[in-house]
């Protein structure tokens, strides 16, 4: 049995919501050699139309003219509570929105917001529809997950992939997130 390693991430449970679970995501973007987390923060805190950042002026104009399908105003903070990525040859962790704040990562329009309210959101940068996470990234994500599980007494069965949110709500899967090559059963078995 390999040792169940954790990460040394300080978590103040007294200033957090009572998280019942964890939802893993991927960015579905390439993980470049430098820091990519800042781009995700910028994306979530910008005006967006159909997945593209636009200015406030363009947003208002196109909203009036109904030019676009998905209109999102800037969020207060990045939608996830944390993320992992390769940066300059090693895997690193970034904090996202505070653990006291409900997430903006697992809501299902017309169905439920319960997974934003009860499950914290973590995002691994990369596109895991193309290939699974590299072993070092996978291992890092395992360690990080164990750290949050221990802090909040979360069972492995409550560690899910974004796509499994749809299953739990009984609606068709709208995403493959955290990637079709990311095996959630394997992740849970290794926690
Ligand atoms: Zn996702």
């Amino acid at each position: 049995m390999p040792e169940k390693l954790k990460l040394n991430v300080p978590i103040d449970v007294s200033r957090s919501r009572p998280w019942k679970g964890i939802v893993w995501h991927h960015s579905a973007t390439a993980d470049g050699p430098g820091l990519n987390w800042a781009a995700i923060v910028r994306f979530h805190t910008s005006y967006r139309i159909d997945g593209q950042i636009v200015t406030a002026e363009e947003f208002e104009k196109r909203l009036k003219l109904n030019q676009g399908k998905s209109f999102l105003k800037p969020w207060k903070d990045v939608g996830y509570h944390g993320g992992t990525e390769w940066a300059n040859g090693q895997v690193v962790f970034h904090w996202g929105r505070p653990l006291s704040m409900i997430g903006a990562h697992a809501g299902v329009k017309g169905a439920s917001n319960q997974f934003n309210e009860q499950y914290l959101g973590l995002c691994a940068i990369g596109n895991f529809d193309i290939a699974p996470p590299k072993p070092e990234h996978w291992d890092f994500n395992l360690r990080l997950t164990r750290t949050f599980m221990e802090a909040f007494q979360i069972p492995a069965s409550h560690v899910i992939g974004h796509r499994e949110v749809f299953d739990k709500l009984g609606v068709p899967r709208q995403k493959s997130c955290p990637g079709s090559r990311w095996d959630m059963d394997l992740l849970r078995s290794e926690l």
Side-chain angles (χ1 to χ4, degrees), residues 23-27 80 105-106 122-123 161-163 175-178:
V23 180
W24 268 104
H25 301 263
H26 70 153
S27 65
Y80 314 109
H105 57 90
L122 298 174
C123 177
H162 189 183
R163 61 176 178 261
K175 288 174 182 284
S176 60
C177 184

Side-chain angles (χ1 to χ4, degrees), residues 4 21 27 48 56 68 84 99-100 102 105 112 133 142-143 177:
K4 305 282 188 183
S27 65
R48 288 154 285 162
T84 66
L99 288 169
S100 56
I102 70 163
H105 57 90
S112 172
L142 278 170
R143 293 181 192 205
C177 184

